[in-house]
Amino acid sequence: MIIEDHKNGGKLDKLLVDLCECIVLLCIHLPKELIPICVPCLLKVALNTEESEETQNGSEMALLALSNINPLLDMKKELYLKDITEIIKYHQEHRNLKRLSYQSAWMFLINRKHLDDKLEDVIVNELHFAREATRELDELLKCVDWSRKEEGPEKTKEVCIILRWCVTLWFFFHNNYSLNHEEYAELVGCLVRLFRVIKVESREIRAEFIHLFEKMVMCDEIQIYVLLKGGVVDLFLEDMCQTISEDGALEDWRYFLMSLIQSLKEKTIAKYEEKEGKKIKMQIFEKFEEEGYEDAIIEKYALFVVMEKRYNISRIPSDYFVHL
């Protein structure tokens, strides 16, 4: 029906939009012949800036569908870049989109980066992804009632959007986008603030954030001291000391720990000023001493021994301290 309507000049209107949304949401691999039909159709819906609930709902559904398109699907930027950039810029000025709509627009764009490295300049410098992600997540943190128990905070739409931002950020760090250290530190700090609030509320959300922290540690563009400034390493140490005896807590952090050790081996002091590096190390050791992290880790050494046998990881505590 979609192809026939396209051949006849597009006469189905609303039905065509519904059909495009359905097939994009349902197909893991969208047929190539439908890409040049469905993508412009859905972007046209999202470009509508009329201030009405119906228009906002239409944009939300269209952008949600677009964000579901497989990241590996080949797509020429001429098909989408001008329109998606206009949608994001207009929202940044007028705030016309719903939260899910805006997150979906970013997810669609971030997922296209691997097709064209030139998109990085648009995403990072023109549209300021890090700034926008930080602002959105801070606002979502404020609008969720984390004490809500009747359904659990994980049931709310806002928390689902936070989880979707985690996925988008995972792809962002996976693609090693270049940001200045200040932007990275602000974004990292925002994620740390969120984790401190949500970690006791939902195991699922907690695991998603730790998975994201692991990807950040592995990102070539992030120096260890940026993660320190943002508070990720502090967060890991605190959470490990507080919850490592709980079921699954060590499981959640184990890949992060392995990635951190590997990064500490690879991202040597030579990559930034020696003076700055010494200052960072001193701050870490002072933190260990003040908070008792080293004692707590030594007390739980038996758990690391179990972890060593299970995952074939040698001398985790000593590796960690030596390379830190």
Side-chain angles (χ1 to χ4, degrees):
M1 290 177 68
I2 292 172
I3 292 173
E4 287 302 313
D5 181 67
H6 182 68
K7 288 179 180 178
N8 295 328
K11 299 178 181 179
L12 294 179
D13 298 327
K14 180 64 170 64
L15 178 57
L16 177 62
V17 174
D18 291 341
L19 290 172
C20 287
E21 289 174 349
C22 285
I23 198 164
V24 170
L25 285 167
L26 292 173
C27 285
I28 296 176
H29 300 289
L30 188 66
K32 291 183 178 180
E33 63 270 22
L34 290 181
I35 296 174
I37 303 175
C38 292
V39 172
C41 173
L42 296 177
L43 284 171
K44 182 179 178 181
V45 174
L47 278 165
N48 190 342
T49 58
E50 292 180 12
E51 296 183 4
S52 69
E53 185 70 16
E54 183 180 358
T55 297
Q56 285 191 329
N57 289 339
S59 296
E60 183 178 58
M61 196 64 208
L63 289 167
L64 180 62
L66 285 167
S67 72
N68 193 63
I69 295 178
N70 193 317
L72 300 179
L73 194 66
D74 191 19
M75 188 185 305
K76 294 181 179 179
K77 66 180 181 181
E78 290 77 15
L79 198 63
Y80 65 86
L81 185 57
K82 181 178 180 294
D83 287 345
I84 198 68
T85 301
E86 182 179 336
I87 290 167
I88 291 174
K89 282 185 174 180
Y90 190 87
H91 174 75
Q92 288 175 347
E93 184 176 352
H94 301 283
R95 297 285 179 253
N96 65 305
L97 297 174
K98 294 185 176 182
R99 294 190 189 279
L100 179 58
S101 303
Y102 192 45
Q103 185 281 325
S104 297
W106 273 115
M107 181 177 283
F108 170 77
L109 184 56
I110 292 289
N111 285 348
R112 311 274 81 76
K113 191 263 183 180
H114 72 283
L115 300 174
D116 186 350
D117 287 337
K118 293 181 180 178
L119 282 180
E120 180 169 335
D121 185 58
V122 175
I123 292 169
V124 171
N125 300 317
E126 185 178 342
L127 299 177
H128 306 286
F129 171 74
R131 180 194 69 191
E132 291 297 297
T134 301
R135 183 188 55 77
E136 283 289 306
L137 287 169
D138 272 333
E139 290 187 4
L140 283 163
L141 175 61
K142 296 174 185 175
C143 73
V144 176
D145 181 6
W146 297 100
S147 63
R148 179 179 172 182
K149 297 298 182 183
E150 63 273 14
E151 296 180 9
E154 69 276 6
K155 303 297 184 182
T156 67
K157 184 175 182 179
E158 289 80 8
V159 174
C160 290
I161 298 173
I162 290 174
L163 286 171
R164 286 174 59 85
W165 272 110
C166 282
V167 175
T168 305
L169 286 163
W170 190 95
F171 278 104
F172 179 82
F173 290 113
H174 178 72
N175 286 315
N176 288 309
Y177 281 90
S178 298
L179 292 177
N180 66 51
H181 295 322
E182 190 61 34
E183 289 175 320
Y184 268 130
E186 289 177 4
L187 181 54
V188 170
C190 171
L191 293 169
V192 168
R193 289 193 296 274
L194 259 172
F195 184 85
R196 290 186 191 281
V197 173
I198 60 87
K199 68 176 182 178
V200 297
E201 300 295 343
S202 169
R203 175 71 187 277
E204 177 193 359
I205 302 174
R206 169 195 169 86
E208 285 293 330
F209 269 77
I210 295 175
H211 185 50
L212 177 57
F213 293 149
E214 174 202 342
K215 179 57 67 175
M216 288 161 49
V217 171
M218 297 169 64
C219 180
D220 293 336
E221 294 296 331
I222 299 185
Q223 299 292 354
I224 290 296
Y225 78 87
V226 176
L227 296 176
L228 290 170
K229 184 176 181 180
V232 172
V233 178
D234 278 348
L235 180 70
F236 158 64
L237 291 168
E238 293 168 13
D239 197 58
M240 184 174 64
C241 293
Q242 294 168 6
T243 64
I244 201 168
S245 60
E246 295 177 7
D247 291 340
L250 188 57
E251 288 283 318
D252 290 341
W253 281 111
R254 69 183 175 95
Y255 286 119
F256 174 88
L257 181 56
M258 288 189 290
S259 299
L260 180 61
I261 292 170
Q262 189 62 36
S263 294
L264 288 167
K265 290 178 180 178
E266 295 173 353
K267 299 178 181 181
T268 62
I269 196 75
K271 287 198 173 183
Y272 40 86
E273 294 182 6
E274 185 176 353
K275 182 179 179 180
E276 180 68 16
K278 288 181 178 179
K279 178 182 176 183
I280 291 166
K281 283 193 173 184
M282 184 59 69
Q283 290 174 346
I284 295 169
F285 288 125
E286 288 176 354
K287 185 78 172 178
F288 280 171
E289 189 173 297
E290 290 173 6
E291 304 294 340
Y293 292 150
E294 188 170 359
D295 291 339
I297 291 171
I298 291 172
E299 286 174 7
K300 297 178 175 69
Y301 188 84
L303 287 173
F304 285 105
V305 172
V306 172
M307 192 170 167
E308 175 185 348
K309 292 178 180 178
R310 185 179 299 176
Y311 306 115
N312 194 28
I313 304 167
S314 64
R315 294 176 287 106
I316 283 185
S318 57
D319 268 359
Y320 179 77
F321 286 116
V322 167
H323 292 291
L324 191 57

